[in-house]
Amino acid sequence: MGRGKIEIKRIENANNRVVTFSKRRNGLVKKAKEITVLCDAKVALIIFASNGKMIDYCCPSMDLGAMLDQYQKLSGKKLWDAKHENLSNEIDRIKKENDSLQLELRHLKGEDIQSLNLKNLMAVEHAIEHGLDKVRDHQMEILISKRRNEKMMAEEQRQLTFQLQQQEMAIASNARGMMMRDHDGQFGYRVQPIQPNLQEKIMSLVID
Amino acid sequence: MARGKIQIKRIENQTNRQVTYSKRRNGLFKKAHELTVLCDARVSIIMFSSSNKLHEYISPNTTTKEIVDLYQTISDVDVWATQYERMQETKRKLLETNRNLRTQIKQRLGECLDELDIQELRRLEDEMENTFKLVRERKFKSLGNQIETTKKKNKSQQDIQKNLIHELELRAEDPHYGLVDNGGDYDSVLGYQIEGSRAYALRFHQNHHHYYPNHGLHAPSASDIITFHLLE
């Protein structure tokens, strides 16, 4: 342990001062650790020597950033830079705005309206009435658009059907043409064998 | 000084733990101060108790912010990096919430409807119709309350007015006395002629006329009668 009491005033001898700093600094860190363990405390310790050297200790349960953040909240003193302060202020502003918007939405949902006076109730009623008109108009637009699409598709289908019929008729006409040529070309030779085939073709056309 | 060695482990007894915390905290701050004085050191201690109460020591020759800034410079560490990221994430979430709230509000005002399909529009319409009924009911109730209040005021005013009128009527009915002219009927005038051999009693009935003895001779009928009898 110590060897005699010393006066608590600046140590003038530079060498002695450095030695004392080193010993006492370590003792301070040791005691900081002890109180952390014994008492569930959170401690942040930063020491700068007169020569600019630094030693720091932060308890294991919380990092220094979180410690300092909590310090700011509890002490009211700001340690961080302007950009952090600005971001923090902006967050507060958005929170307030969200609270305000939340309340407005609740009114538009018919909630929490007991506290509204007659004038405000009429304003909300008017807003909802106006909104309802727009919603219905929009639904009508969608339905009209849908019906128009259906008509267009029906028209297109009709045209396609017509074209198909035209093509079928053209094919049928070609078939008759071919049959006639065949008949002419083989007149003298094939009169008897063609007759049953002719019957079949006529029946087929009638069915079509 | 201390009385016996203690084991460096968590003190289970809460009261003992608090007492030890208080004593050791003060001891720590004292030693920090000694280091400041003896060795020109700059010391910052920030402590939170288990109940999150703040205590700090800062050397008189510096400030906490100065120490923190210097710490960051020397250690090349941004102690706020984690906090900053956390705050940015918080802001992002808040902005998303903000956007959602604004969209919902706009939809209930009949805007921003393109995002909704026909089923969603129908559901929105139903909800808005319900809200409309609720608000209208509330409005009529509020209106009814106002009407009731006004009626009560009105009745109160009427009662006051009635009282005033009644008081006026009471004053008006008080009898007051004065001269009453009963029409000025004079029943009779008697005249006697003592010197003549015949005496006549004359009676006049002149309702609605005043009889003035001094001017009696000028009254036409009275004058004629008197003259006639006197001459005879």
Side-chain angles (χ1 to χ4, degrees):
Chain A
M1 208 58 71
R3 308 192 188 174
K5 285 211 167 200
I6 67 168
E7 190 180 356
I8 303 300
K9 72 171 184 118
R10 183 171 187 274
I11 297 173
E12 295 303 330
N13 180 276
N15 283 337
N16 287 348
R17 192 162 65 241
V18 169
V19 171
T20 301
F21 175 81
S22 183
K23 287 181 180 178
R24 281 177 169 265
R25 177 200 69 197
N26 291 336
L28 203 59
V29 171
K30 177 169 178 268
K31 285 193 174 298
K33 287 178 180 176
E34 284 174 1
I35 199 172
T36 296
V37 174
L38 285 164
C39 308
D40 264 350
K42 304 184 187 76
V43 183
L45 169 64
I46 304 177
I47 306 172
F48 284 98
S50 56
N51 64 4
K53 287 188 176 176
M54 177 189 75
I55 188 167
D56 68 284
Y57 165 80
C58 189
C59 63
S61 62
M62 189 181 265
D63 67 83
L64 184 59
M67 285 274 292
L68 295 177
D69 192 42
Q70 189 161 324
Y71 170 84
Q72 287 187 137
K73 288 188 170 73
L74 290 179
S75 72
K77 299 172 190 169
K78 295 300 177 187
L79 302 178
W80 55 16
D81 301 327
K83 81 168 184 176
H84 304 91
E85 182 67 12
N86 290 341
L87 182 51
S88 179
N89 288 340
E90 197 171 346
I91 285 171
D92 287 343
R93 181 185 63 76
I94 300 172
K95 272 181 184 170
K96 286 196 181 79
E97 190 178 327
N98 283 6
D99 287 344
S100 179
L101 290 172
Q102 185 72 49
L103 185 61
E104 185 180 343
L105 180 60
R106 288 180 67 77
H107 290 157
L108 289 174
K109 288 183 170 183
E111 299 161 7
D112 295 340
I113 57 175
Q114 280 73 28
S115 59
L116 293 176
N117 63 27
L118 183 61
K119 184 179 176 185
N120 288 336
L121 281 167
M122 289 172 73
V124 171
E125 185 192 17
H126 177 74
I128 294 169
E129 194 169 15
H130 186 245
L132 261 173
D133 288 343
K134 283 188 164 185
V135 170
R136 287 167 178 150
D137 288 350
H138 194 70
Q139 284 187 58
M140 192 58 61
E141 273 180 37
I142 290 179
L143 290 176
I144 288 172
S145 178
K146 193 174 175 184
R147 198 166 293 138
R148 189 183 306 117
N149 283 344
E150 283 171 358
K151 278 184 184 175
M152 286 171 60
M153 288 177 71
E155 176 65 19
E156 190 175 344
Q157 188 180 14
R158 202 172 60 76
Q159 287 184 10
L160 289 173
T161 303
F162 178 75
Q163 287 175 24
L164 187 61
Q165 286 172 356
Q166 294 282 31
Q167 286 181 10
E168 285 172 348
M169 288 172 67
I171 290 170
S173 179
N174 284 346
R176 281 197 292 272
M178 289 174 63
M179 185 187 68
M180 294 300 290
R181 285 198 297 274
D182 189 59
H183 178 81
D184 289 340
Q186 302 295 333
F187 175 80
Y189 182 76
R190 291 193 177 204
V191 168
Q192 286 299 322
I194 287 174
Q195 189 142 8
N197 288 340
L198 184 60
Q199 289 291 339
E200 285 178 5
K201 281 179 183 279
I202 291 170
M203 290 300 294
S204 174
L205 285 173
V206 168
I207 291 168
D208 285 345
Chain B
M1 207 57 70
R3 307 182 194 183
K5 285 212 167 198
I6 65 165
Q7 194 176 354
I8 304 299
K9 69 163 187 140
R10 183 174 185 272
I11 296 172
E12 295 302 329
N13 180 274
Q14 180 173 336
T15 303
N16 289 346
R17 190 165 68 240
Q18 284 171 1
V19 171
T20 301
Y21 174 76
S22 185
K23 287 182 179 178
R24 280 178 170 262
R25 182 192 72 221
N26 291 333
L28 195 65
F29 287 0
K30 180 171 178 251
K31 284 190 175 301
H33 187 61
E34 287 173 0
L35 194 63
T36 299
V37 174
L38 287 167
C39 309
D40 278 343
R42 284 168 290 170
V43 184
S44 165
I45 304 178
I46 293 172
M47 296 182 77
F48 296 103
S49 68
S50 57
S51 60
N52 276 329
K53 206 170 180 185
L54 167 68
H55 296 91
E56 77 170 308
Y57 171 83
I58 182 67
S59 295
N61 53 3
T62 186
T63 65
T64 305
K65 178 161 174 54
E66 198 175 291
I67 286 206
V68 169
D69 287 349
L70 201 53
Y71 166 88
Q72 294 187 86
T73 301
I74 289 182
S75 61
D76 196 25
V77 159
D78 179 3
V79 297
W80 305 111
T82 302
Q83 301 304 117
Y84 194 68
E85 281 175 21
R86 204 175 301 161
M87 286 199 296
Q88 282 185 321
E89 181 61 23
T90 298
K91 179 184 169 183
R92 245 191 312 275
K93 286 177 180 171
L94 286 171
L95 283 177
E96 186 176 350
T97 299
N98 191 276
R99 203 166 31 250
N100 283 336
L101 287 168
R102 286 180 180 280
T103 298
Q104 286 189 65
I105 289 172
K106 282 180 177 175
Q107 282 169 359
R108 282 165 190 274
L109 298 178
E111 299 161 19
C112 298
L113 299 175
D114 293 337
E115 311 161 15
L116 304 174
D117 63 29
I118 196 72
Q119 271 80 30
E120 284 166 342
L121 280 171
R122 286 220 176 95
R123 190 173 350 101
L124 178 62
E125 186 187 2
D126 289 344
E127 285 179 15
M128 287 173 76
E129 278 172 355
N130 284 334
T131 302
F132 185 74
K133 284 171 190 156
L134 284 175
V135 173
R136 173 156 281 188
E137 272 176 27
R138 180 68 204 167
K139 185 187 82 167
F140 286 143
K141 186 176 178 182
S142 181
L143 207 49
N145 288 344
Q146 281 197 13
I147 289 171
E148 197 65 27
T149 302
T150 305
K151 276 184 178 178
K152 283 175 181 171
K153 276 187 191 175
N154 216 30
K155 187 177 187 306
S156 180
Q157 293 291 333
Q158 282 178 353
D159 287 348
I160 292 173
Q161 189 188 26
K162 196 174 295 182
N163 286 338
L164 288 175
I165 289 175
H166 187 240
E167 193 164 330
L168 282 178
E169 284 173 348
L170 285 181
R171 290 185 185 181
E173 286 169 6
D174 283 347
H176 55 280
Y177 302 95
L179 293 177
V180 178
D181 191 336
N182 288 330
D185 294 334
Y186 296 98
D187 290 333
S188 62
V189 175
L190 300 177
Y192 297 93
Q193 300 193 18
I194 301 174
E195 294 180 357
S197 61
R198 292 177 283 184
Y200 296 94
L202 301 178
R203 181 181 297 270
F204 296 93
H205 294 278
Q206 296 185 18
N207 292 329
H208 312 298
H209 291 285
H210 295 286
Y211 182 76
Y212 298 99
N214 294 332
H215 304 280
L217 296 177
H218 299 289
S221 57
S223 175
D224 292 344
I225 293 172
I226 294 173
T227 302
F228 175 76
H229 287 294
L230 286 174
L231 288 175
E232 289 179 355

